[in-house]
Amino acid sequence: MKELKELKELKHLKRLSSVKSGTGIKFLTPAVSPGSHCPMRIASVIVKDIQGLSSLLVGTQECATHSRLFNPHPEGRQGELHWLYTLSDQEVVFGCREGLRDALKKMDQAGARAILLIATCIPELIGEDMEGIIQEIQPELSARVTYVMLGQFKNVSHPPGSWKTMKALGLLMEKKATDPRRINVLGRAPEEDHIPEPSLLPELVRQGIALRYLAPGASLEDLQSAGDAALNLVVSPYTQPLAVQMQEELGIPYVSLHHRYAVRDIDQAYEDIAQRFGLSWGDALAEERRRALAQEHQAQQRLGGLRFVCVPRVDLPIPLSVYLTGLGMEPLLLHLEEYYPEDKDHAGQLIARGQDPLVCRMVNEEAELPILQKLNPDLCIGYMSYTDIRIPCVANMMDYYGQVGYERTRGLLTRILGVAAKVDPKDIKEQGGMAYGTASL
């Protein structure tokens, strides 16, 4: 087996320690078709699902047509307006300041209560000053206006369409008197019956804590009143930047759960929550914790020495790799759909543990699969559609979206251990004796 440094297909990739933003992540292969979703698509879906929020998308005719596939109606069920501003040939060159001012006035007169202005590639390419336009026109409007810049040339894939949009909606919030028994849950919709509910949330309600859910599916009123919470509970990477902004501008502290996999880290977060509100968990969460801890001990015995790659459809590849490294596993290659603002800290933790994997973007499975086969990891974490892949795959990782806490850790480890059971321990020992995977590029 060739050492990692001898695989010519990987020589153009960077190590995690060399990546400081999403722009530093290279494609694994030159064959980037079919590519990634435009972030504008995600923003269009989010605004459609927030009751009372209107939107104005600014872009080319192609952008307007594409957005209507996901937000098809110019008027929402609660009187929301979802209008499109198609740039003229002259505006593509000289800007659209006056046209946007006029469009925002018309939306205000038509009854919009709050407006998210979604700027696509052209406004960002020509340097249109959206913030300046809004500051200039806001005193003339009843509706509050905020904006998000989503040029795909700066946002290669879809996650910025989520986290930048949610962060932009934070500008609709105002500081209010604190309700000492109120928590905002950032990143989970009010009613998501298809996603198992972490046992922490109903236990909080049982102990007298009022929960407000802020995610697509919430309402404009939920967003506007969110400034009264005593704590933000973050359950998704898409809302972490919003939590940071709310702490800086509204003084609301936050506890992040989405990146915590280790039982001891979850313990720490739950204890923090309990101390803030004077709660006692008693035996309410004890059984889930016991089961997660048992799986963790089993994983430490079984997974040590296994080398893995992360492929598409893994929400948090860097924090997950930090956790798996703590169990004795070794990350070789990580597909990063996005490099979140918080990933710098998680990357530092992984590097501090002596691991500095290669990072890439995978968008063409047919071209990428032969490279992964040459890399020959013990496990592939994420989704690969080919049924003849020779690498054991831990698939359906998106099943854990919106889940946190002991239950997620137990479910995750159960799934990984089930796949790892198919790996011959003799093969692990033989491969572990090679320099492959540990060479410095």
Side-chain angles (χ1 to χ4, degrees):
M1 180 65 192
K2 294 183 179 180
E3 291 186 7
L4 192 57
K5 66 180 180 181
E6 294 179 356
L7 293 179
K8 62 181 181 180
E9 297 92 342
L10 302 177
K11 286 185 176 180
H12 66 292
L13 299 181
K14 293 182 178 181
R15 293 282 183 181
L16 180 61
S17 59
S18 299
V19 174
K20 306 304 178 186
S21 69
T23 56
I25 304 170
K26 298 180 180 296
F27 290 101
L28 179 57
T29 70
V32 297
S33 175
S36 303
H37 291 306
C38 175
M40 171 270 292
R41 164 186 173 170
I42 308 302
S44 298
V45 172
I46 289 176
V47 295
K48 175 178 66 69
D49 291 337
I50 295 181
Q51 299 174 30
L53 178 65
S54 296
S55 64
L56 178 63
L57 186 138
V58 185
T60 64
Q61 183 62 56
E62 290 81 2
C63 296
T65 301
H66 188 60
S67 73
R68 279 292 183 241
L69 295 175
F70 313 104
N71 191 357
H73 304 294
E75 294 186 2
R77 284 176 286 185
Q78 304 295 326
E80 304 92 346
L81 305 175
H82 299 297
W83 289 8
L84 307 173
Y85 188 97
T86 303
L87 298 167
S88 67
D89 292 343
Q90 183 174 352
E91 288 175 321
V92 167
V93 178
F94 298 106
C96 53
R97 188 181 199 89
E98 292 305 317
L100 280 185
R101 284 173 50 87
D102 184 57
L104 290 171
K105 286 182 179 180
K106 289 180 179 178
M107 292 186 72
D108 187 57
Q109 294 167 0
R113 297 161 52 199
I115 303 168
L116 174 66
L117 194 156
I118 304 171
T120 57
C121 289
I122 296 299
E124 194 154 14
L125 274 170
I126 65 176
E128 189 65 86
D129 183 9
M130 294 298 178
E131 183 176 5
I133 293 172
I134 293 173
Q135 288 179 348
E136 185 178 278
I137 192 66
Q138 185 65 77
E140 303 177 34
L141 306 177
S142 297
R144 287 286 302 275
V145 182
T146 184
Y147 75 102
V148 61
M149 306 294 285
L150 292 176
Q152 192 169 17
F153 67 97
K154 284 189 175 181
N155 304 282
V156 178
S157 192
H158 63 86
S162 291
W163 73 260
K164 289 187 176 182
T165 297
M166 292 304 298
K167 184 178 179 182
L169 296 180
L171 297 178
L172 300 176
M173 303 174 184
E174 296 181 354
K175 188 172 180 59
K176 298 178 178 294
T178 301
D179 180 346
R181 305 294 285 179
R182 167 75 70 176
I183 291 177
N184 291 325
V185 181
L186 307 187
R188 188 180 174 97
E191 297 179 1
E192 288 190 295
D193 296 335
H194 61 292
I195 300 176
E197 185 178 40
S199 57
L200 171 68
L201 301 182
E203 179 60 22
L204 286 170
V205 173
R206 190 188 71 81
Q207 297 201 39
I209 303 299
L211 303 182
R212 178 190 293 115
Y213 294 86
L214 299 181
S219 68
L220 178 60
E221 287 79 7
D222 290 331
L223 291 168
Q224 291 175 328
S225 58
D228 68 351
L231 181 69
N232 282 330
L233 201 59
V234 187
V235 300
S236 166
Y238 301 142
T239 52
Q240 174 74 17
L242 172 62
V244 173
Q245 178 177 278
M246 292 177 71
Q247 178 171 270
E248 293 173 349
E249 299 185 3
L250 303 177
I252 302 176
Y254 65 88
V255 172
S256 298
L257 294 175
H258 60 287
H259 60 76
R260 296 175 186 265
Y261 292 94
V263 171
R264 67 176 180 275
D265 291 340
I266 300 169
D267 288 345
Q268 182 182 34
Y270 285 13
E271 180 60 27
D272 186 2
I273 296 168
Q275 289 182 0
R276 288 177 182 274
F277 294 93
L279 308 178
S280 175
W281 303 125
D283 296 331
L285 308 176
E287 179 59 21
E288 286 293 347
R289 183 185 186 279
R290 184 194 66 76
R291 296 170 71 183
L293 197 59
Q295 287 292 78
E296 199 166 78
H297 289 160
Q298 183 180 350
Q300 288 173 334
Q301 297 172 359
R302 179 67 184 87
L303 301 179
L306 290 181
R307 296 153 301 120
F308 68 94
V309 296
C310 280
V311 298
R313 302 193 189 182
V314 178
D315 271 340
L316 298 163
I318 301 179
L320 177 60
S321 296
V322 173
Y323 178 53
L324 296 180
T325 297
L327 299 176
M329 299 182 71
E330 179 185 353
L332 301 179
L333 177 69
L334 305 182
H335 161 79
L336 300 184
E337 196 74 40
E338 173 69 335
Y339 192 89
Y340 294 98
E342 61 180 307
D343 274 339
K344 181 179 179 181
D345 294 334
H346 300 309
Q349 294 173 24
L350 188 58
I351 294 164
R353 295 188 175 193
Q355 301 295 333
D356 193 11
L358 294 170
V359 297
C360 68
R361 282 198 174 95
M362 301 182 190
V363 293
N364 188 298
E365 192 174 308
E366 184 176 357
E368 294 152 355
L369 182 59
I371 300 175
L372 296 179
Q373 303 279 32
K374 287 184 181 180
L375 191 55
N376 194 30
D378 298 304
L379 290 178
C380 172
I381 297 178
Y383 177 77
M384 299 293 285
S385 64
Y386 283 86
T387 56
D388 61 344
I389 183 172
R390 299 191 302 272
I391 308 167
C393 280
V394 184
N396 302 320
M397 294 297 291
M398 295 297 283
D399 288 355
Y400 299 111
Y401 174 78
Q403 298 182 53
V404 293
Y406 303 125
E407 304 97 315
R408 180 182 62 170
T409 295
R410 178 174 59 83
L412 172 72
L413 292 180
T414 298
R415 186 166 292 179
I416 293 177
L417 286 166
V419 176
K422 303 173 185 177
V423 179
D424 190 337
K426 182 173 66 175
D427 293 339
I428 300 172
K429 182 178 180 181
E430 290 174 354
Q431 293 173 357
M434 298 182 180
Y436 153 154
T438 61
S440 175
L441 293 185

